[in-house]
Amino acid sequence: MSRIVVSLGGNALGNNPQEQKELLKQVATPIVELIKEGHEVVIAHGNGPQVGMINLSFSESNSTPEMPFPECGAMSQGYIGYHLQNAIGNELAALNIDKSIASIVTQVIVDENDPAFNRPTKPIGSFYSKEDADKLSEKMGYRMIEDSGRGYRRVVPSPLPIDVKEKAIIKSLLEAKHIVITVGGGGIPVVVKGNTLVGVAAVIDKDNASAKLAELIDADMLVILTAVDNVYINFGKPNSEALGNVSIERLEELIAEKHFAEGSMLPKINATMAFAKNNKISVIASLNNAKEAFKLKAGTIIKG
Amino acid sequence: MSRIVVSLGGNALGNNPQEQKELLKQVATPIVELIKEGHEVVIAHGNGPQVGMINLSFSESNSTPEMPFPECGAMSQGYIGYHLQNAIGNELAALNIDKSIASIVTQVIVDENDPAFNRPTKPIGSFYSKEDADKLSEKMGYRMIEDSGRGYRRVVPSPLPIDVKEKAIIKSLLEAKHIVITVGGGGIPVVVKGNTLVGVAAVIDKDNASAKLAELIDADMLVILTAVDNVYINFGKPNSEALGNVSIERLEELIAEKHFAEGSMLPKINATMAFAKNNKISVIASLNNAKEAFKLKAGTIIKG
């Protein structure tokens, strides 16, 4: 029996509630198999497209207030969490497994002195013309940048997670043999101000949040399920090569050789290395290979 | 030490995220006092204005999908739950109380044969002209009615809660001495279809959901915090009278005499009576009097 954190990509969840519901039914199958084998399972998930959609709907609607980013993140945790716990709950019922699952609204603490706050890099929400971007920048104080030739977008900082406020809740639920969905979208980012936690407009990388969570709850394994089957070296080139079992030392060399894209595979690798280094196991695999990846028979496997 | 379910009205939470945050800071004070005295506390809350706002923003936005009602309810649980757990968490920290709190995304099971499904009565979302209402009715199959001379609104059924899917989660958290926020907005309404739970467009009365939850977790007391200090007889008339301690038998007489408004005070009274009848205590009081109400020194007190 192992304690396993499974981290799902927000991009794998479709573009609307109907698609999300269908896709999560497929996600439920391998996860419930893992539960059936007796493992303690915690599920984390991304929320990039979903939190963007929520933020956009409030921006475009004429009769509803502007919705700050931490609140949009909280809504996305409810929205994705509901579909995920419903799908997994239904699969558990179908297999007659008497287990409960719930999504926990989760705040993740970041350091207000994190250098990330000085250089916002994470694009969020919708695309704007230069003119509208300038207006928003003036009116709301948003930092706007040109994104991939598709227009201007707001960028927010992506600080590192330092603690999960609800970790005691998560631990108690695991001890009681329940299944937990948490740190959705990397968690609602909050900073410490005296005695209080205050939400900030930022996005915590969900893989970093998953790795921090895995460390805090003393998990044995972190599995990041993404769009690609493996981590690749020389990715996209004729001599590209999928990595199977790989050591932390080897990954450090490959990072130095700049094999992994910043803002894409590199943060996943950093997160998995950080967790694996204390004699743990990290896996990066595709959602399609989840079942095999849980058995360490697919994906890129990093043993510390 | 008692186990207490506190039910907050959604109308007390303001009209936008800034107002909600401020108002919940005030709510946190009496609740944390209750926690400080050693009671086990579960918090339920309404979501009428908030779920309407979320639904409306998706309806009005041109570039986001239509958002079904159960999903909007799930978002409102994240949104209100985040502010509530943050406010209470901050107050606990200020008083150096080492307790954890979290909001649980909660599905509440209703009977698909509930007669309420044949006569939708609960108005939700925005107001439309007769013409637009007819279009929506045709396009989406919504039932639209004229609401209080302000225009046409969609109405959905308000079925009775029969079970809380996540009750084992809630019990485990209470046993571990944590504080729980649950059944937000009456819970996400789901019906049983074979082995699965399926979300339905409906609104469960949050006081009924709170009473059902209080029964399921074997709470000692249910406190409904609302806009009025007490339940009144002859409400709004010169001979109006606030009720203090009142028996279930007396309430039954008063209901027969039609003292309580349907869709307003009557469902609260029915919910509190249903819970109190098994030798329990129910209280209906104003948010302003919460502190005294928790000590049975304010509000209308129903002992079974």
Side-chain angles (χ1 to χ4, degrees), chain B residues 46-84:
Chain B
N47 74 346
Q50 297 76 20
V51 75
M53 171 187 79
I54 293 167
N55 194 246
L56 179 59
S57 83
F58 279 93
S59 297
E60 286 192 351
S61 161
N62 292 318
S63 33
T64 60
E66 187 69 19
M67 195 52 63
F69 216 70
E71 281 75 4
C72 293
M75 287 186 192
S76 78
Q77 291 186 351
Y79 170 57
I80 301 169
Y82 158 49
H83 279 180
L84 200 43

Side-chain angles (χ1 to χ4, degrees), chain B residues 221-226 228-232 242-246 281-303:
Chain B
M221 188 155 105
L222 168 65
V223 183
I224 295 181
L225 296 176
T226 181
V228 293
D229 291 345
N230 289 76
V231 176
Y232 282 80
L243 296 175
N245 283 289
V246 61
I281 302 174
S282 294
V283 182
I284 299 175
S286 68
L287 199 50
N288 290 336
N289 291 344
K291 191 179 153 178
E292 296 301 304
F294 291 145
K295 296 177 174 161
L296 304 183
K297 289 179 180 163
T300 295
I301 297 149
I302 304 136
K303 285 188 185 165

Side-chain angles (χ1 to χ4, degrees), chain A residues 32-253:
Chain A
V32 169
E33 231 168 285
L34 202 56
I35 295 161
K36 198 179 170 188
E37 285 165 10
H39 300 294
E40 291 180 0
V41 176
V42 179
I43 302 148
H45 61 83
N47 73 348
Q50 296 76 22
V51 75
M53 171 187 77
I54 293 167
N55 193 248
L56 178 60
S57 84
F58 279 93
S59 298
E60 287 193 349
S61 161
N62 292 317
S63 34
T64 59
E66 187 70 18
M67 196 51 64
F69 216 70
E71 281 75 4
C72 293
M75 288 186 192
S76 79
Q77 290 185 351
Y79 169 58
I80 301 169
Y82 158 49
H83 279 180
L84 201 43
Q85 78 191 52
N86 182 272
I88 293 174
N90 288 344
E91 182 73 11
L92 289 168
L95 299 183
N96 250 315
I97 301 171
D98 184 22
K99 285 265 191 188
S100 291
I101 176 163
S103 311
I104 307 302
V105 177
T106 310
Q107 305 171 90
V108 171
I109 299 167
V110 298
D111 182 351
E112 65 174 328
N113 297 315
D114 191 308
F117 283 107
N118 299 324
R119 37 172 184 76
T121 53
K122 178 89 184 166
I124 56 165
S126 47
F127 292 88
Y128 296 92
S129 67
K130 172 99 177 68
E131 198 190 338
D132 288 346
D134 286 346
K135 276 188 205 157
L136 265 176
S137 182
E138 197 169 319
K139 186 182 159 201
M140 309 289 290
Y142 293 170
R143 169 133 186 209
M144 312 291 291
I145 60 153
E146 208 288 321
D147 186 14
S148 332
R150 293 180 293 171
Y152 285 77
R153 286 176 93 185
R154 182 178 177 195
V155 282
V156 295
S158 189
L160 287 174
I162 54 179
D163 203 359
V164 175
K165 173 65 177 166
E166 289 76 19
K167 63 175 184 269
I169 298 273
I170 299 161
K171 282 182 195 169
S172 293
L173 289 175
L174 292 174
E175 277 157 25
K177 303 296 166 204
H178 300 304
I179 305 146
V180 184
I181 300 163
T182 181
V183 297
I188 305 164
V190 292
V191 294
V192 180
K193 297 264 187 196
N195 267 324
T196 67
L197 293 181
V198 178
V200 286
V203 170
I204 302 167
D205 179 88
K206 68 101 191 160
D207 295 317
N208 281 333
S210 304
K212 174 54 74 177
L213 171 75
E215 176 203 318
L216 290 169
I217 64 172
D218 196 23
D220 305 292
M221 189 156 105
L222 167 66
V223 183
I224 295 181
L225 295 176
T226 180
V228 293
D229 291 344
N230 290 75
V231 176
Y232 281 80
I233 54 173
N234 299 310
F235 187 68
K237 294 179 190 165
N239 60 340
S240 79
E241 190 189 322
L243 296 176
N245 284 288
V246 61
S247 68
I248 291 177
E249 295 69 29
R250 178 75 181 126
L251 281 174
E252 279 166 350
E253 291 168 14

